[in-house]
Amino acid sequence: MPLRVNVRLLKTQGTRFVGELAPEEATGEFHDELVRLAGPVRYDVEVERQADELRLQGRLEFLLECGCSRCLKLFPMEVRVEDLAALVPLSGDEAPALDGDIADLTPFLREDTLLALPTNPLCSPDCRGLAAQASSRDSRLPERPGSEQVPKGSPWGALDQLKL
Ligand SMILES: [Zn+2]
């Protein structure tokens, strides 16, 4: 469900909204081959009404299914945004469209959701990727005579050679 608030009823001391955005509501037109939402985006936000703006503060939580950008393995990733904060002007170009007194704040949650998505997801911080897997397969092949150097594609081997 989109996050809709009644602007007229909001008070300066803040009103808490807890709910879930379906994946398509939470990420809109966003499409990435390596990152997709595996479930809804759960939000827990407090909305304060100031003179001519709303202040949003709270948390987001969601589960992603990612493809590792190095080895393409699929893996789940849990994302928590603990410091969601947004200012929503109630007039001007940035103001949300009002339906009577109701403002749809979903786009402001979407912004923070998209910011929290990984740009180059890795299955583990030291994933060595497809190239490393390929070269370890290669190293099992019979070696050609006179090629007993460091296996190709190993950055550590190259470093060791540099130190000599
Ligand atoms: Zn990987």
Side-chain angles (χ1 to χ4, degrees):
M1 290 290 287
L3 171 56
R4 294 188 209 275
V5 302
N6 186 320
V7 173
R8 196 172 295 274
L9 295 183
L10 286 170
K11 307 242 167 55
T12 46
Q13 65 264 35
T15 309
R16 192 173 170 208
F17 296 87
V18 179
E20 290 184 346
L21 300 178
E24 58 276 14
E25 292 169 335
T27 50
E29 297 294 300
F30 170 84
H31 178 75
D32 188 311
E33 289 186 348
L34 294 179
V35 179
R36 67 177 192 87
L37 281 167
V41 169
R42 292 183 294 279
Y43 61 81
D44 181 348
V45 296
E46 203 167 82
V47 183
E48 278 176 30
R49 170 81 197 255
Q50 303 293 336
D52 56 352
E53 65 188 13
L54 302 179
R55 282 162 199 254
L56 261 74
Q57 266 189 333
R59 304 190 294 126
L60 298 174
E61 226 177 70
F62 49 90
L63 190 68
L64 297 175
E65 184 175 69
C66 296
C68 176
S69 59
R70 287 190 196 149
C71 73
L72 301 180
K73 190 171 97 178
L74 290 178
F75 65 99
M77 182 189 285
E78 212 181 330
V79 179
R80 285 202 171 95
V81 179
E82 300 285 355
D83 53 355
L84 172 118
L87 284 181
V88 181
L90 291 176
S91 57
D93 293 345
E94 308 271 293
L98 285 182
D99 179 5
D101 291 328
I102 308 296
D104 185 356
L105 302 184
T106 310
F108 298 89
L109 300 183
R110 186 178 301 147
E111 213 165 286
D112 278 59
T113 304
L114 294 177
L115 280 175
L117 299 178
T119 45
N120 286 300
L122 292 177
C123 63
S124 77
D126 54 354
C127 172
R128 299 179 62 200
L130 288 172
Q133 289 178 5
S135 74
S136 65
R137 270 201 301 278
D138 287 348
S139 69
R140 288 200 297 271
L141 295 171
E143 282 181 36
R144 267 174 276 151
S147 66
E148 73 276 1
Q149 306 97 325
V150 199
K152 276 179 196 151
S154 160
W156 309 118
L159 274 180
D160 286 345
Q161 281 190 324
L162 282 177
K163 278 182 204 146
L164 289 175

